[in-house]
């Protein structure tokens, strides 16, 4: 800093001394003239340097930095260092960015960044391939204009961060994508897409296998159970042991028949290709039917009550809803000892319609509750078998709930009873 002021003041001091000398020897006019000439030269020199600086700033490259002397040399050298540092940082950032781009390009998943109004800020090559995007023209376009399948548009607009969406892209319908939205930063979202075609194929094979086995079993079973029933009806069947054997055979074939029926129901519900056939379901009528079935099953062994506190009807599939409600009610009856009370309720909670079955039966210990909807998961194997259970009832209920975007809530206390509730979304209510 001191050096700077010394360099700036040196020509001023020299020219003032020279002017004073001229004044002393010659005249004041000459001294003044000398000062004016000196000032003009200094100004011209500064103007030239400023001009060079301005020209350089228009295209600030390190190779073209102007050369200068005096105090300008210092300023230009500082500028040179600054530009060098800036270039270095720029290069480092560009390298980092390239690394990131290479890493995301190598990801087997599609990654796209959406802003708060669903516009595409960036995407990797896999996302480009999954959604048929154009790297040049589709940046900052609304993703719901580029991918127009209704389920995808609904998924993006609802910003459902919990569940992935399974979808076949419009232009590659042999491909199955699993799509997930992840929120990050301020109102930004990552759209992750994964090709699950292979996985879906294996799943479909597994489902087909179960469905085929069940179909194949059905015919021989019908034949055998038919014969068993005929034999039981024959009056000349004397021996007690033969009667007992036939009774057991009839019971077991009935069980197998129930099992096959439930397996077929499950594989039909699991099939992604079988869409939900929706209709307006008259809930009062359906609930009365379910209630009557319950009375028959209970055989007047339980005080059965029904409360219909809501007039809401549902948009859904009647047969599936009936199957779900009946399964819950049949469980309540089967797992409640004689005399225990059972309540059926249809009501609204915060606008959401709820179907609820409450029993005062044997209850379920807390550790079993999360696993109840798994296939063949039974808390008490022998009780389930004795009462004709297949171990598939709640798995069926869960699938039907999922197809109706409903939630299955379970609360229970061992020895006191259980409550199973199906909570439907408001959008399914019809009045
Ligand atoms: P299951 O045909 O064996 O009844 P589910 O899938 O319907 O099969 O139910 C799974 C298990 O959950 C049952 O085996 C039983 O242990 C338990 N469970 C279901 N509902 C009730 C209930 N209301 N009270 C007590 N336990 C229940």
């Amino acid at each position: 800093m001191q050096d700077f002021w010394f360099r700036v003041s040196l020509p001023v001091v020299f020219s003032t001394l020279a002017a004073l000398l001229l004044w002393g020897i010659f005249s004041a006019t000459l001294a003044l003239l000398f000062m004016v000439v000196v000032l003009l030269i200094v100004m011209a020199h500064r103007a030239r340097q400023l001009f060079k600086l301005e020209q350089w700033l228009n295209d600030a490259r390190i190779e073209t930095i102007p050369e200068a002397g005096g105090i300008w040399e210092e300023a230009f050298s500082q500028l040179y260092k600054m530009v060098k540092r800036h270039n270095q940082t720029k290069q480092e950032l560009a390298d980092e960015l390239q690394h990131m781009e290479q890493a995301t390009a190598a990801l087997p998943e599609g990654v796209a960044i959406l802003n708060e109004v669903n516009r595409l800020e960036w995407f990797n090559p896999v996302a480009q391939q999954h959604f048929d995007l154009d790297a040049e023209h589709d940046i900052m376009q609304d993703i719901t204009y580029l991918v127009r399948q209704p389920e995808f548009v609904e998924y993006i607009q609802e910003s459902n961060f919990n569940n992935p969406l399974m979808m076949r892209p419009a232009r590659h319908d042999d491909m199955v994508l699993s799509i997930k939205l992840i929120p990050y930063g301020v109102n930004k979202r990552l759209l992750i897409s994964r090709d699950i075609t292979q996985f879906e194929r294996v799943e479909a094979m597994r489902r087909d296998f179960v469905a085929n086995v069940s179909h194949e079993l059905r015919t021989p079973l019908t034949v055998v159970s038919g014969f068993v029933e005929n034999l039981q009806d024959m009056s000349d069947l004397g021996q007690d042991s033969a009667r007992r054997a036939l009774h057991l055979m009839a019971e077991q074939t009935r069980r197998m028949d129930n099992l096959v029926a439930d397996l077929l129901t499950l594989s039909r519900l699991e099939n992604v290709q079988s869409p939900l056939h929706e209709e307006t379901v008259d809930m009062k009528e359906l609930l009365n039917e379910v209630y009557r079935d319950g009375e028959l099953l209970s055989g007047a062994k339980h005080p059965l009550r029904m409360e219909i506190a809501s007039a809401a009807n549902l948009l859904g599939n009647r047969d599936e809803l009936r199957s779900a409600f009946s399964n819950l009610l049949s469980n309540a009856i089967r797992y409640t000892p004689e005399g225990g009370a059972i309540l059926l309720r249809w009501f609204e909670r915060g606008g959401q319609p709820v179907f609820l079955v409450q029993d005062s039966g044997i209850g379920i210990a807390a550790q079993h509750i999360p696993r109840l909807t798994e296939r063949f998961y039974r808390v008490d194997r022998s009780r389930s078998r004795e009462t004709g259970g297949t171990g598939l009832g709640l798995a069926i209920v869960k699938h039907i709930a999922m197809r109706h975007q409903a939630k299955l809530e379970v609360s229970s206390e061992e020895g006191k009873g259980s409550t199973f509730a199906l909570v439907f979304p408001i959008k399914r209510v019809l009045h």
Side-chain angles (χ1 to χ4, degrees), residues 331-332 334-335 359 362-364 372 377-380 384 389-394 418 420:
N331 279 354
R334 287 168 40 234
Y335 296 105
D359 66 54
I362 58 171
I364 308 158
L372 292 181
Y377 188 84
R378 292 161 168 125
V379 180
D380 180 347
S384 163
T390 60
L392 294 171
L394 289 180
S418 317
F420 286 74

Side-chain angles (χ1 to χ4, degrees), residues 6-18:
F6 178 70
R7 286 218 239 164
V8 170
S9 45
L10 208 61
V12 180
V13 172
F14 270 122
S15 46
T16 315
L17 281 178

